[in-house]
Amino acid sequence: MLNTQHLITFRSLVETGSFTKTAKQLGLTQPAVSQHIQKLERDLGEPLLVRHGRVTDMTPAGEVLLQHIKELEACYEGFIVSWQSHLESKSNDVFQAIKSA
């Protein structure tokens, strides 16, 4: 199973384009960011980024991973909306039961 923090680090790195900016944004050290990416690449068995000095480009595998990260985030957001609706419904049921008593 992939580490969620590593996925967050990857997405942030793609967005910022910089290991240093990603480290600052996530409150990590630069070596920790590098380590997260290396572990993801090792776990997935393919390079996700091509490094050109301080600039990085995604490989095709990196693009696939980023797309799935975005889908996971959308799924999670949908769950949160559904869960909040469930809780509100449950709360309304309790309120109606008290009101009827």
Side-chain angles (χ1 to χ4, degrees):
M1 178 175 251
L2 298 177
N3 182 305
T4 305
Q5 184 60 49
H6 297 170
L7 297 176
I8 292 167
T9 301
F10 178 76
R11 176 166 182 152
S12 179
L13 179 57
V14 169
E15 289 173 351
T16 66
S18 162
F19 282 80
T20 302
K21 288 178 185 175
T22 297
K24 285 181 184 177
Q25 186 179 69
L26 299 178
L28 301 170
T29 64
Q30 193 171 341
V33 171
S34 295
Q35 193 173 59
H36 287 189
I37 301 306
Q38 289 170 356
K39 286 180 180 178
L40 269 177
E41 291 176 329
R42 187 175 54 242
D43 290 347
L44 294 170
E46 276 198 62
L48 301 170
L49 300 166
V50 177
R51 294 151 182 91
H52 308 283
R54 293 182 180 257
V55 179
T56 60
D57 289 319
M58 276 190 293
T59 64
E63 291 176 13
V64 169
L65 179 61
L66 181 61
Q67 181 58 42
H68 283 281
I69 290 170
K70 289 178 180 180
E71 290 171 11
L72 286 168
E73 288 172 339
C75 181
Y76 179 75
E77 289 170 13
F79 164 73
I80 293 299
V81 169
S82 294
W83 189 252
Q84 288 172 341
S85 177
H86 164 73
L87 293 176
E88 288 171 11
S89 171
K90 188 175 169 182
S91 178
N92 287 339
D93 291 346
V94 170
F95 178 73
Q96 289 301 325
I98 292 171
K99 190 176 173 183
S100 298

